[in-house]
Amino acid sequence: MKKHTLKKQERLKSRKVIEKLFAEGNTFTIHPYRVFWLPFEEQDTPLKFAIGVPKKRFKNAVDRNLLKRRSREAYRTQKYNLENILLKNSMKIALFLVYISDAEMEYPIIQEQVHEIIHKIEDSLNY
């Protein structure tokens, strides 16, 4: 059985990559997320991921951190299908999720939406 992990090298931290992702990346919205993704060959892992929750919508850091934790957990448990497709096609992508809802969603809803996001990216990669 494969371990569901989110390693340090799988996290998207480079300011240059993030700026390029927002400027040139593909984007779509699946409530409560706006998704930015971009094929990006200059990285060591097939999939780099980051999550953002705007301070404008959630003033308290506790609330922002809770939503980021829920989103990361939902992604971590479901990323392997997308990762396998990327490895098979020898592709690499950078992925950034921005939480755009004003309401705090429960984990099952977040998990379902992250599942839809991953499937939509998979479909885009498979044409």
Side-chain angles (χ1 to χ4, degrees):
M1 188 171 125
K2 200 168 199 177
K3 283 181 118 176
H4 296 283
T5 59
L6 186 60
K7 296 182 175 129
K8 188 175 181 179
Q9 62 264 23
E10 294 174 2
R11 296 180 189 235
L12 179 59
K13 295 181 267 184
S14 169
R15 185 175 296 273
K16 284 183 182 179
V17 175
I18 292 172
E19 286 174 1
K20 185 173 182 177
L21 183 63
F22 284 125
E24 303 171 17
N26 303 310
T27 183
F28 61 90
T29 302
I30 292 182
H31 192 73
Y33 295 104
R34 177 161 295 124
V35 181
F36 297 88
W37 68 277
L38 180 68
F40 203 77
E41 294 302 320
E42 302 158 15
Q43 59 192 32
D44 48 351
T45 60
L47 194 53
K48 292 253 187 193
F49 170 78
I51 180 79
V53 179
K55 192 174 188 179
K56 180 180 178 182
R57 296 186 190 277
F58 294 94
K59 301 293 184 204
N60 294 331
V62 174
D63 298 330
R64 290 192 305 275
N65 292 339
L66 174 69
L67 290 169
K68 285 191 276 189
R69 269 195 315 274
R70 286 178 180 171
S71 300
R72 267 194 309 267
E73 179 67 10
Y75 166 79
R76 181 188 69 82
T77 58
Q78 300 178 47
K79 70 177 179 168
Y80 288 101
N81 290 338
L82 179 58
E83 207 170 54
N84 289 336
I85 288 172
L86 291 170
L87 287 170
K88 187 171 65 178
N89 296 332
S90 65
M91 294 179 69
K92 297 178 180 183
I93 67 168
L95 174 65
F96 198 105
L97 303 181
V98 179
Y99 193 89
I100 57 171
S101 176
D102 290 330
E104 188 177 294
M105 302 282 182
E106 293 297 319
Y107 178 71
I109 297 168
I110 288 176
Q111 188 174 25
E112 182 180 312
Q113 299 309 80
V114 169
H115 183 74
E116 282 186 40
I117 289 167
I118 289 173
H119 276 299
K120 186 160 183 166
I121 293 171
E122 288 172 359
D123 291 343
S124 298
L125 292 173
N126 289 334
Y127 309 122

